[in-house]
């Protein structure tokens, strides 16, 4: 499974050459997978978990349903966060000025593939 997640993250970062990295993390802030290797995945995972918790609270308080995604942009870049089944998150780091529409398109597709990779396989009969 980890190999599959690494491959999905690598494919995502190749599809978005502006991306500086991507992390799959638990909602508790634990790293599940990351790309590239020189990224600080632990810091990204913890921040993603905090942003996810805040996003959940905002969505709930404002009666918007379950949290799905959020993007936080600063002067030097953005982080887009996507909720995946079972308390798993995808965080993608990007430079300032990136085309967020393209980022969302690629990242949502990757989130779907991650969701599929994390699903337990059914026993064969």
């Amino acid at each position: 499974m980890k190999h599959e997640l690494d491959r999905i993250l690598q494919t995502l970062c190749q599809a978005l050459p502006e991306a500086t990295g991507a992390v799959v993390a638990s909602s508790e802030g634990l790293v599940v997978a990351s790309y590239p290797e020189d990224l600080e995945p632990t810091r990204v995972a913890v921040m993603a978990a905090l942003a996810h918790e805040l996003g959940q609270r905002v969505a709930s308080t404002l009666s918007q349903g379950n949290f799905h995604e959020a993007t936080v942009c600063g002067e030097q870049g953005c982080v887009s966060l996507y909720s995946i089944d079972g308390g798993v998150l995808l965080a993608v780091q990007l430079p300032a000025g990136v085309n967020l529409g393209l980022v969302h398109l690629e990242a949502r597709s990757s989130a779907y593939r991650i969701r599929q990779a994390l699903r337990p396989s059914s026993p064969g009969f």
Side-chain angles (χ1 to χ4, degrees), residues 50-72:
L50 289 171
H52 177 255
E53 184 177 332
L54 179 59
Q56 283 183 310
R57 187 166 295 164
V58 169
S60 174
T61 300
L62 299 177
S63 302
Q64 300 301 307
N66 292 326
F67 173 83
H68 286 268
E69 61 188 53
T71 299
V72 177

PDB file of all heavy atoms in Angstrom, residues 50-72:
ATOM      1  N   LEU A  50      -4.126  20.100  11.890  1.00  0.00           N
ATOM      2  CA  LEU A  50      -4.691  21.282  12.562  1.00  0.00           C
ATOM      3  C   LEU A  50      -5.662  22.026  11.651  1.00  0.00           C
ATOM      4  O   LEU A  50      -6.744  22.443  12.079  1.00  0.00           O
ATOM      5  CB  LEU A  50      -3.570  22.210  13.025  1.00  0.00           C
ATOM      6  CG  LEU A  50      -2.729  21.703  14.186  1.00  0.00           C
ATOM      7  CD1 LEU A  50      -1.519  22.609  14.397  1.00  0.00           C
ATOM      8  CD2 LEU A  50      -3.551  21.598  15.447  1.00  0.00           C
ATOM      9  N   ALA A  51      -5.284  22.204  10.392  1.00  0.00           N
ATOM     10  CA  ALA A  51      -6.165  22.889   9.436  1.00  0.00           C
ATOM     11  C   ALA A  51      -7.438  22.087   9.205  1.00  0.00           C
ATOM     12  O   ALA A  51      -8.532  22.650   9.088  1.00  0.00           O
ATOM     13  CB  ALA A  51      -5.433  23.114   8.108  1.00  0.00           C
ATOM     14  N   HIS A  52      -7.310  20.763   9.176  1.00  0.00           N
ATOM     15  CA  HIS A  52      -8.479  19.898   9.006  1.00  0.00           C
ATOM     16  C   HIS A  52      -9.440  20.057  10.178  1.00  0.00           C
ATOM     17  O   HIS A  52     -10.654  20.181   9.990  1.00  0.00           O
ATOM     18  CB  HIS A  52      -8.015  18.445   8.879  1.00  0.00           C
ATOM     19  CG  HIS A  52      -9.122  17.468   8.776  1.00  0.00           C
ATOM     20  ND1 HIS A  52      -9.496  16.654   9.818  1.00  0.00           N
ATOM     21  CD2 HIS A  52      -9.955  17.173   7.750  1.00  0.00           C
ATOM     22  CE1 HIS A  52     -10.503  15.900   9.437  1.00  0.00           C
ATOM     23  NE2 HIS A  52     -10.805  16.188   8.190  1.00  0.00           N
ATOM     24  N   GLU A  53      -8.889  20.066  11.390  1.00  0.00           N
ATOM     25  CA  GLU A  53      -9.728  20.233  12.575  1.00  0.00           C
ATOM     26  C   GLU A  53     -10.458  21.573  12.542  1.00  0.00           C
ATOM     27  O   GLU A  53     -11.660  21.651  12.811  1.00  0.00           O
ATOM     28  CB  GLU A  53      -8.879  20.132  13.839  1.00  0.00           C
ATOM     29  CG  GLU A  53      -9.694  20.189  15.117  1.00  0.00           C
ATOM     30  CD  GLU A  53      -8.840  20.018  16.356  1.00  0.00           C
ATOM     31  OE1 GLU A  53      -7.792  19.355  16.286  1.00  0.00           O
ATOM     32  OE2 GLU A  53      -9.238  20.550  17.402  1.00  0.00           O
ATOM     33  N   LEU A  54      -9.743  22.638  12.202  1.00  0.00           N
ATOM     34  CA  LEU A  54     -10.362  23.953  12.102  1.00  0.00           C
ATOM     35  C   LEU A  54     -11.417  23.972  10.997  1.00  0.00           C
ATOM     36  O   LEU A  54     -12.517  24.501  11.175  1.00  0.00           O
ATOM     37  CB  LEU A  54      -9.307  25.029  11.845  1.00  0.00           C
ATOM     38  CG  LEU A  54      -9.840  26.454  11.692  1.00  0.00           C
ATOM     39  CD1 LEU A  54     -10.592  26.898  12.935  1.00  0.00           C
ATOM     40  CD2 LEU A  54      -8.690  27.402  11.372  1.00  0.00           C
ATOM     41  N   GLY A  55     -11.094  23.385   9.844  1.00  0.00           N
ATOM     42  CA  GLY A  55     -12.058  23.322   8.740  1.00  0.00           C
ATOM     43  C   GLY A  55     -13.324  22.585   9.128  1.00  0.00           C
ATOM     44  O   GLY A  55     -14.433  23.001   8.777  1.00  0.00           O
ATOM     45  N   GLN A  56     -13.172  21.487   9.858  1.00  0.00           N
ATOM     46  CA  GLN A  56     -14.341  20.739  10.326  1.00  0.00           C
ATOM     47  C   GLN A  56     -15.201  21.608  11.238  1.00  0.00           C
ATOM     48  O   GLN A  56     -16.421  21.617  11.127  1.00  0.00           O
ATOM     49  CB  GLN A  56     -13.909  19.485  11.087  1.00  0.00           C
ATOM     50  CG  GLN A  56     -13.457  18.357  10.222  1.00  0.00           C
ATOM     51  CD  GLN A  56     -13.114  17.141  11.059  1.00  0.00           C
ATOM     52  OE1 GLN A  56     -12.373  17.217  12.034  1.00  0.00           O
ATOM     53  NE2 GLN A  56     -13.647  16.004  10.659  1.00  0.00           N
ATOM     54  N   ARG A  57     -14.542  22.321  12.128  1.00  0.00           N
ATOM     55  CA  ARG A  57     -15.275  23.168  13.075  1.00  0.00           C
ATOM     56  C   ARG A  57     -16.022  24.286  12.350  1.00  0.00           C
ATOM     57  O   ARG A  57     -17.176  24.561  12.643  1.00  0.00           O
ATOM     58  CB  ARG A  57     -14.312  23.757  14.107  1.00  0.00           C
ATOM     59  CG  ARG A  57     -15.049  24.492  15.208  1.00  0.00           C
ATOM     60  CD  ARG A  57     -14.166  24.774  16.381  1.00  0.00           C
ATOM     61  NE  ARG A  57     -13.765  23.505  16.980  1.00  0.00           N
ATOM     62  CZ  ARG A  57     -12.771  23.361  17.836  1.00  0.00           C
ATOM     63  NH1 ARG A  57     -12.077  24.404  18.209  1.00  0.00           N
ATOM     64  NH2 ARG A  57     -12.473  22.198  18.341  1.00  0.00           N
ATOM     65  N   VAL A  58     -15.362  24.933  11.391  1.00  0.00           N
ATOM     66  CA  VAL A  58     -15.999  26.012  10.622  1.00  0.00           C
ATOM     67  C   VAL A  58     -17.186  25.463   9.847  1.00  0.00           C
ATOM     68  O   VAL A  58     -18.285  26.026   9.878  1.00  0.00           O
ATOM     69  CB  VAL A  58     -14.989  26.695   9.678  1.00  0.00           C
ATOM     70  CG1 VAL A  58     -15.686  27.624   8.699  1.00  0.00           C
ATOM     71  CG2 VAL A  58     -13.945  27.463  10.482  1.00  0.00           C
ATOM     72  N   ALA A  59     -16.985  24.357   9.123  1.00  0.00           N
ATOM     73  CA  ALA A  59     -18.066  23.778   8.327  1.00  0.00           C
ATOM     74  C   ALA A  59     -19.248  23.388   9.198  1.00  0.00           C
ATOM     75  O   ALA A  59     -20.408  23.642   8.853  1.00  0.00           O
ATOM     76  CB  ALA A  59     -17.549  22.571   7.547  1.00  0.00           C
ATOM     77  N   SER A  60     -18.976  22.795  10.333  1.00  0.00           N
ATOM     78  CA  SER A  60     -20.044  22.379  11.241  1.00  0.00           C
ATOM     79  C   SER A  60     -20.779  23.577  11.833  1.00  0.00           C
ATOM     80  O   SER A  60     -22.013  23.627  11.839  1.00  0.00           O
ATOM     81  CB  SER A  60     -19.449  21.518  12.358  1.00  0.00           C
ATOM     82  OG  SER A  60     -20.425  21.215  13.316  1.00  0.00           O
ATOM     83  N   THR A  61     -20.035  24.560  12.327  1.00  0.00           N
ATOM     84  CA  THR A  61     -20.629  25.731  12.957  1.00  0.00           C
ATOM     85  C   THR A  61     -21.511  26.516  11.984  1.00  0.00           C
ATOM     86  O   THR A  61     -22.558  27.036  12.361  1.00  0.00           O
ATOM     87  CB  THR A  61     -19.532  26.659  13.516  1.00  0.00           C
ATOM     88  OG1 THR A  61     -18.785  25.918  14.486  1.00  0.00           O
ATOM     89  CG2 THR A  61     -20.117  27.888  14.178  1.00  0.00           C
ATOM     90  N   LEU A  62     -21.088  26.566  10.731  1.00  0.00           N
ATOM     91  CA  LEU A  62     -21.848  27.315   9.724  1.00  0.00           C
ATOM     92  C   LEU A  62     -22.805  26.431   8.938  1.00  0.00           C
ATOM     93  O   LEU A  62     -23.293  26.817   7.875  1.00  0.00           O
ATOM     94  CB  LEU A  62     -20.881  28.032   8.772  1.00  0.00           C
ATOM     95  CG  LEU A  62     -19.967  29.059   9.458  1.00  0.00           C
ATOM     96  CD1 LEU A  62     -19.010  29.665   8.462  1.00  0.00           C
ATOM     97  CD2 LEU A  62     -20.790  30.141  10.147  1.00  0.00           C
ATOM     98  N   SER A  63     -23.068  25.231   9.451  1.00  0.00           N
ATOM     99  CA  SER A  63     -24.021  24.289   8.851  1.00  0.00           C
ATOM    100  C   SER A  63     -23.728  24.009   7.377  1.00  0.00           C
ATOM    101  O   SER A  63     -24.622  24.024   6.536  1.00  0.00           O
ATOM    102  CB  SER A  63     -25.455  24.818   9.012  1.00  0.00           C
ATOM    103  OG  SER A  63     -25.754  25.019  10.365  1.00  0.00           O
ATOM    104  N   GLN A  64     -22.448  23.722   7.092  1.00  0.00           N
ATOM    105  CA  GLN A  64     -22.034  23.446   5.721  1.00  0.00           C
ATOM    106  C   GLN A  64     -21.779  21.966   5.461  1.00  0.00           C
ATOM    107  O   GLN A  64     -21.295  21.601   4.398  1.00  0.00           O
ATOM    108  CB  GLN A  64     -20.767  24.252   5.370  1.00  0.00           C
ATOM    109  CG  GLN A  64     -20.958  25.755   5.480  1.00  0.00           C
ATOM    110  CD  GLN A  64     -22.068  26.257   4.580  1.00  0.00           C
ATOM    111  OE1 GLN A  64     -22.082  25.997   3.382  1.00  0.00           O
ATOM    112  NE2 GLN A  64     -23.026  26.959   5.171  1.00  0.00           N
ATOM    113  N   GLY A  65     -22.088  21.112   6.415  1.00  0.00           N
ATOM    114  CA  GLY A  65     -21.867  19.679   6.240  1.00  0.00           C
ATOM    115  C   GLY A  65     -20.449  19.286   6.610  1.00  0.00           C
ATOM    116  O   GLY A  65     -19.747  20.015   7.308  1.00  0.00           O
ATOM    117  N   ASN A  66     -20.027  18.139   6.111  1.00  0.00           N
ATOM    118  CA  ASN A  66     -18.694  17.628   6.407  1.00  0.00           C
ATOM    119  C   ASN A  66     -17.631  18.414   5.649  1.00  0.00           C
ATOM    120  O   ASN A  66     -17.844  18.825   4.512  1.00  0.00           O
ATOM    121  CB  ASN A  66     -18.583  16.153   6.045  1.00  0.00           C
ATOM    122  CG  ASN A  66     -19.432  15.283   6.940  1.00  0.00           C
ATOM    123  OD1 ASN A  66     -19.597  15.568   8.115  1.00  0.00           O
ATOM    124  ND2 ASN A  66     -19.981  14.227   6.377  1.00  0.00           N
ATOM    125  N   PHE A  67     -16.468  18.572   6.272  1.00  0.00           N
ATOM    126  CA  PHE A  67     -15.332  19.238   5.646  1.00  0.00           C
ATOM    127  C   PHE A  67     -14.822  18.399   4.479  1.00  0.00           C
ATOM    128  O   PHE A  67     -14.670  17.190   4.601  1.00  0.00           O
ATOM    129  CB  PHE A  67     -14.221  19.429   6.685  1.00  0.00           C
ATOM    130  CG  PHE A  67     -12.945  19.947   6.099  1.00  0.00           C
ATOM    131  CD1 PHE A  67     -12.769  21.297   5.881  1.00  0.00           C
ATOM    132  CD2 PHE A  67     -11.922  19.082   5.763  1.00  0.00           C
ATOM    133  CE1 PHE A  67     -11.591  21.785   5.331  1.00  0.00           C
ATOM    134  CE2 PHE A  67     -10.745  19.548   5.225  1.00  0.00           C
ATOM    135  CZ  PHE A  67     -10.578  20.905   5.009  1.00  0.00           C
ATOM    136  N   HIS A  68     -14.552  19.058   3.337  1.00  0.00           N
ATOM    137  CA  HIS A  68     -14.000  18.362   2.171  1.00  0.00           C
ATOM    138  C   HIS A  68     -12.617  18.856   1.805  1.00  0.00           C
ATOM    139  O   HIS A  68     -11.725  18.061   1.568  1.00  0.00           O
ATOM    140  CB  HIS A  68     -14.918  18.512   0.954  1.00  0.00           C
ATOM    141  CG  HIS A  68     -16.148  17.693   1.047  1.00  0.00           C
ATOM    142  ND1 HIS A  68     -16.248  16.432   0.541  1.00  0.00           N
ATOM    143  CD2 HIS A  68     -17.348  17.950   1.612  1.00  0.00           C
ATOM    144  CE1 HIS A  68     -17.446  15.938   0.785  1.00  0.00           C
ATOM    145  NE2 HIS A  68     -18.132  16.847   1.443  1.00  0.00           N
ATOM    146  N   GLU A  69     -12.441  20.182   1.711  1.00  0.00           N
ATOM    147  CA  GLU A  69     -11.147  20.706   1.282  1.00  0.00           C
ATOM    148  C   GLU A  69     -10.996  22.167   1.680  1.00  0.00           C
ATOM    149  O   GLU A  69     -11.977  22.855   1.954  1.00  0.00           O
ATOM    150  CB  GLU A  69     -10.959  20.563  -0.226  1.00  0.00           C
ATOM    151  CG  GLU A  69     -11.984  21.308  -1.048  1.00  0.00           C
ATOM    152  CD  GLU A  69     -11.891  20.981  -2.526  1.00  0.00           C
ATOM    153  OE1 GLU A  69     -11.920  19.786  -2.891  1.00  0.00           O
ATOM    154  OE2 GLU A  69     -11.792  21.942  -3.310  1.00  0.00           O
ATOM    155  N   ALA A  70      -9.728  22.610   1.704  1.00  0.00           N
ATOM    156  CA  ALA A  70      -9.425  24.008   2.010  1.00  0.00           C
ATOM    157  C   ALA A  70      -8.073  24.339   1.393  1.00  0.00           C
ATOM    158  O   ALA A  70      -7.223  23.467   1.234  1.00  0.00           O
ATOM    159  CB  ALA A  70      -9.376  24.240   3.515  1.00  0.00           C
ATOM    160  N   THR A  71      -7.896  25.608   1.072  1.00  0.00           N
ATOM    161  CA  THR A  71      -6.609  26.088   0.584  1.00  0.00           C
ATOM    162  C   THR A  71      -6.223  27.302   1.409  1.00  0.00           C
ATOM    163  O   THR A  71      -7.038  28.210   1.604  1.00  0.00           O
ATOM    164  CB  THR A  71      -6.685  26.458  -0.913  1.00  0.00           C
ATOM    165  OG1 THR A  71      -7.036  25.282  -1.659  1.00  0.00           O
ATOM    166  CG2 THR A  71      -5.355  26.993  -1.421  1.00  0.00           C
ATOM    167  N   VAL A  72      -5.001  27.298   1.902  1.00  0.00           N
ATOM    168  CA  VAL A  72      -4.470  28.420   2.669  1.00  0.00           C
ATOM    169  C   VAL A  72      -3.330  29.008   1.849  1.00  0.00           C
ATOM    170  O   VAL A  72      -2.395  28.288   1.476  1.00  0.00           O
ATOM    171  CB  VAL A  72      -3.950  27.961   4.046  1.00  0.00           C
ATOM    172  CG1 VAL A  72      -3.339  29.130   4.803  1.00  0.00           C
ATOM    173  CG2 VAL A  72      -5.066  27.304   4.845  1.00  0.00           C
TER     174      VAL A  72
END
